Amino acid sequence: MGNTSSMLTQYDIEEVQQHCNNAFSQQEIVSLYERFCQLDRNGGGFVSGEEFLSVPEFAVNPLSQRLLRMLDGLNFKEFVAFLSAFSPRATVQQKIEFIFKVYDSDGNGKVTFNDMLDVLHDLTGQFISEQQREVDLILEMPLFTDCKQVLTKVLEEAGYNKESLLIMSDFVKILGSSGLKMEVEVPVD
Amino acid sequence: MSSGKGGELIPSSSELDLDRPNIEDYLPSGSSIHEPLGKLRLCDLLDISPTLTEAAGAIVDDSFTQCFKSNPPEPWNWNVYLFPLWCCGVVIRYLILFPVRVIVLTVGWIIFLSCFIPVHLLLKGHDKLQKNMERALVELICSFFVASWTGVINYHGPRPSMRPKQVFVANHTSMIDFIILEQMSSFAVIMQKHPGWVGLLQSTILESVGCIWFNRTEAKDRETVTKKLREHSQGVDNNPLLIFPEGTCVNNQYSVMFKKGAFELGCTICPIAIKYNKIFVDAFWNSRKQSFTMHLLQLMTSWAVVCDVWYLEPQNLRPDETPIEFAERVRDIISVRAGLKKVPWDGYLKYSRPSPKHREQKQQSFAESVLRRLEEN
């Protein structure tokens, strides 16, 4: 596929469509290509981390660094495959797989306690560990001020523990029943 | 600034923070991670889909990048008989119009310099006369510039009057905005100091109309500039100030947030709306893609630059308004008149990253919902 040309041939479009399992229509792929070229300012055929971070809406997202690790250096075909989990045509299984990949930073198919802790830290910043909450004296509720404690408690209630290594099927079991809403609309002219 | 939720907002040292009203009002829903009810379970913690959706949404399309996109006009010359017509047009534009325009501009510069230099050097003692003559000459050279692109400019509204404590603000599309406005009446402008021949012009000729320079990259610069602005606006004899509060060139279809500097000087604000007609050429100066010289050349080789300028009703700070709200109100007036869509971003994000404050707000609201649900049994 031409990296520097800004024209997609019909053959290119079909190849991309196949690669992403028909998650996007041909028109959407053309739109995504325009967007990809717009982001790829230096025309290198891939969008660098810096170029993604120049989109302010992306830069303020708590998970931007994690996503950058997955996005950095992708060419257009891989870019579309990355976004395919967000298509309305994607199955719940595909969406859960994507979420699993976000957690599984070393890509070994197992999500550890530390992986989950890292994501929780990304999402909550310093607002859990530094927050001083008053103990509810009447109900004598325990004082949770730490991400580790929160995660451990919730894991144990679900039947896991700190040493558990979660795999894909665990994620499917945990997330499969909650209505997972993860869709993005590709603007088409 | 929003402060109503529980824990302390960590103050950020970035100056950009002080300039913006609450962004959460503008961002699409989902800007705060949604809060379901009920006890916290593992699936709630692991389900990061709202955050991921926001990130993917930003990757696919975002309102900030749209502001700086130059939209090339549709090619209309794809037909058998249209193509030769277009070729004739190219020949006329490049081989006839362009040389004529260059001659006009050169003549203009000769006239200007031969009057300006003597006036500048010889009339040093007679301040008032010198100032008036220099103003007239600058207006003249601007008219020559406008003629060199065959500018068809419609001015609407009463011509600005020279009164003290009056500041003009306009939306910004290109450096030619200044030239277009200057040809009608003399303004003092505040500009980023540029390198090259533009910088030379800035330090010699524009000094005479009373310009103020700033340097985007210097943090302390802001205080000195604010002081200079204040001094200038109080002066009786100075040209009225023209400020472009967006701080950067935007593509004339959107407007980015106005910086509050111009709105806290205690002066009347006279808004000016500028809208370019893209029929012959897109006047947006995409400083990331073209140098100013190339931009001028592009203008000089097109048929005409067509635009509308509206001088709008002067506004004052209302007693219950903050300068930021005032800036937003004026931005609204200008955007409505010029048909621009408003976006909640600071133009300077072109050059720097957003402050951590926004990410922290999201993190804080998520953290609070987790802790709250944890305590439910």
Side-chain angles (χ1 to χ4, degrees):
Chain A
M1 174 168 327
N3 277 339
T4 48
S5 76
S6 51
M7 289 298 294
L8 276 185
T9 66
Q10 181 64 25
Y11 178 69
D12 292 330
I13 298 177
E14 284 170 5
E15 198 188 324
V16 170
Q17 206 175 22
Q18 217 177 18
H19 188 78
C20 70
N21 291 322
N22 284 350
F24 293 110
S25 72
Q26 299 205 347
Q27 272 178 317
E28 288 171 332
I29 291 180
V30 172
S31 286
L32 284 174
Y33 190 68
E34 271 174 29
R35 175 66 174 177
F36 186 81
C37 292
Q38 191 185 58
L39 292 173
D40 179 18
R41 270 204 287 275
N42 62 0
F46 64 93
V47 183
S48 68
E50 273 302 302
E51 287 165 339
F52 275 116
L53 286 176
S54 71
V55 176
E57 232 172 285
F58 180 79
V60 303
N61 192 291
L63 292 176
S64 53
Q65 288 303 324
R66 254 178 193 260
L67 288 171
L68 275 183
R69 258 176 272 156
M70 297 164 74
L71 278 168
D72 203 6
L74 294 184
N75 65 21
F76 177 61
K77 206 162 69 169
E78 295 159 348
F79 176 73
V80 175
F82 176 89
L83 288 174
S84 59
F86 296 91
S87 150
R89 299 180 192 84
T91 63
V92 174
Q93 175 83 5
Q94 288 170 316
K95 294 184 199 283
I96 298 180
E97 268 173 27
F98 185 87
I99 295 181
F100 187 84
K101 271 193 243 156
V102 174
Y103 275 95
D104 182 19
S105 42
D106 54 8
N108 63 357
K110 304 200 221 344
V111 169
T112 65
F113 181 81
N114 282 328
D115 288 332
M116 290 187 274
L117 195 62
D118 283 341
V119 173
L120 193 56
H121 273 310
D122 284 341
L123 287 176
T124 56
Q126 73 270 61
F127 290 99
I128 279 196
S129 44
E130 286 184 17
Q131 203 150 6
Q132 300 298 312
R133 308 278 292 197
E134 286 170 4
V135 175
D136 187 330
L137 293 169
I138 297 171
L139 294 177
E140 289 182 349
M141 301 276 279
L143 183 69
F144 285 105
T145 56
D146 196 280
C147 273
K148 265 204 194 131
Q149 291 173 312
V150 171
L151 188 57
T152 314
K153 175 178 193 261
V154 171
L155 266 178
E156 282 169 2
E157 279 174 8
Y160 299 95
N161 59 47
K162 273 183 76 170
E163 275 76 48
S164 303
L165 295 173
L166 275 75
I167 53 173
M168 186 58 206
S169 55
D170 291 310
F171 263 65
V172 173
K173 200 166 44 158
I174 299 166
L175 294 172
S177 45
S178 61
L180 209 62
K181 288 193 81 164
M182 209 166 90
E183 268 172 34
V184 148
E185 196 189 313
V186 178
V188 171
D189 289 324
Chain B
M1 275 219 285
S2 114
S3 62
K5 307 179 180 173
E8 289 295 304
L9 266 179
I10 317 292
S12 168
S13 56
S14 163
E15 294 185 312
L16 298 175
D17 289 354
L18 305 170
D19 280 354
R20 38 172 99 97
N22 198 356
I23 263 197
E24 305 299 310
D25 292 338
Y26 291 95
L27 283 175
S29 62
S31 60
S32 53
I33 301 166
H34 80 263
E35 297 183 20
L37 304 162
K39 188 164 179 270
L40 191 73
R41 292 160 302 161
L42 186 60
C43 59
D44 301 312
L45 269 193
L46 286 185
D47 183 5
I48 47 174
S49 57
T51 315
L52 290 180
T53 312
E54 275 176 36
I59 293 175
V60 162
D61 194 18
D62 80 292
S63 54
F64 185 71
T65 320
Q66 295 305 345
C67 294
F68 305 101
K69 196 164 105 157
S70 8
N71 299 312
E74 294 284 320
W76 55 271
N77 57 358
W78 41 266
N79 217 321
V80 174
Y81 49 87
L82 288 178
F83 189 69
L85 207 62
W86 178 76
C87 285
C88 287
V90 170
V91 165
I92 297 178
R93 277 188 288 134
Y94 279 79
L95 299 180
I96 302 178
L97 276 186
F98 181 63
V100 167
R101 286 169 175 173
V102 171
I103 293 173
V104 164
L105 198 56
T106 319
V107 165
W109 272 106
I110 294 174
I111 298 179
F112 174 75
L113 287 171
S114 53
C115 298
F116 189 82
I117 294 177
V119 164
H120 196 66
L121 297 173
L122 301 175
L123 284 183
K124 274 229 167 6
H126 313 263
D127 264 355
K128 187 122 181 137
L129 184 61
Q130 178 188 26
K131 267 205 171 155
N132 284 334
M133 290 204 67
E134 285 179 350
R135 269 178 203 156
L137 284 173
V138 173
E139 280 181 38
L140 181 73
I141 188 65
C142 286
S143 304
F144 268 102
F145 259 113
V146 171
S148 76
W149 336 299
T150 316
V152 178
I153 306 171
N154 296 315
Y155 295 92
H156 312 266
R159 242 179 90 159
S161 43
M162 292 249 296
R163 277 187 292 209
K165 303 201 115 220
Q166 202 175 235
V167 169
F168 289 82
V169 304
N171 58 309
H172 200 27
T173 305
S174 161
M175 290 232 280
I176 67 174
D177 291 338
F178 166 67
I179 298 177
I180 286 174
L181 293 176
E182 188 79 12
Q183 94 163 330
M184 269 317 252
S185 42
S186 236
F187 289 110
V189 79
I190 161 171
M191 287 173 100
Q192 164 84 24
K193 202 73 191 275
H194 280 85
W197 63 271
V198 181
L200 185 65
L201 276 186
Q202 288 178 325
S203 41
T204 47
I205 296 161
L206 293 179
E207 281 289 334
S208 66
V209 286
C211 288
I212 298 174
W213 314 116
F214 68 84
N215 200 338
R216 226 172 244 146
T217 49
E218 262 175 61
K220 274 239 183 84
D221 199 53
R222 205 183 130 123
E223 288 166 24
T224 11
V225 167
T226 319
K227 206 166 58 132
K228 284 195 218 168
L229 281 179
R230 207 178 282 273
E231 280 168 13
H232 186 108
S233 56
Q234 314 287 0
V236 175
D237 217 19
N238 291 327
N239 281 338
L241 263 176
L242 173 62
I243 298 181
F244 297 106
E246 287 174 310
T248 187
C249 290
V250 185
N251 71 357
N252 210 228
Q253 286 172 293
Y254 296 88
S255 67
V256 296
M257 298 206 349
F258 278 10
K259 303 206 170 308
K260 66 177 175 156
F263 300 89
E264 20 176 48
L265 296 170
C267 301
T268 309
I269 300 286
C270 308
I272 302 178
I274 308 177
K275 180 76 173 178
Y276 291 90
N277 190 328
K278 283 209 264 243
I279 182 172
F280 294 122
V281 73
D282 183 0
F284 167 49
W285 177 38
N286 196 340
S287 53
R288 287 195 273 206
K289 285 214 176 121
Q290 299 177 304
S291 68
F292 189 58
T293 321
M294 286 310 298
H295 175 62
L296 267 190
L297 285 177
Q298 188 191 7
L299 292 178
M300 286 175 78
T301 53
S302 52
W303 291 108
V305 172
V306 182
C307 88
D308 284 286
V309 174
W310 290 275
Y311 296 106
L312 301 169
E313 195 186 319
Q315 305 288 327
N316 281 302
L317 183 70
R318 292 190 187 139
D320 54 342
E321 245 181 359
T322 66
I324 296 180
E325 287 167 354
F326 185 29
E328 276 303 291
R329 185 163 61 88
V330 172
R331 175 162 93 120
D332 208 27
I333 294 171
I334 292 180
S335 302
V336 165
R337 180 68 269 185
L340 307 172
K341 291 188 220 130
K342 292 167 36 166
V343 298
W345 301 105
D346 181 326
Y348 278 8
L349 287 173
K350 235 168 145 186
Y351 311 101
S352 66
R353 298 269 166 271
S355 89
K357 185 183 85 156
H358 297 113
R359 181 188 302 204
E360 284 167 8
Q361 277 181 336
K362 289 178 196 250
Q363 290 172 327
Q364 185 181 24
S365 76
F366 183 71
E368 286 182 356
S369 105
V370 164
L371 287 172
R372 192 177 12 243
R373 294 183 60 193
L374 204 55
E375 291 172 10
E376 284 180 33
N377 258 320

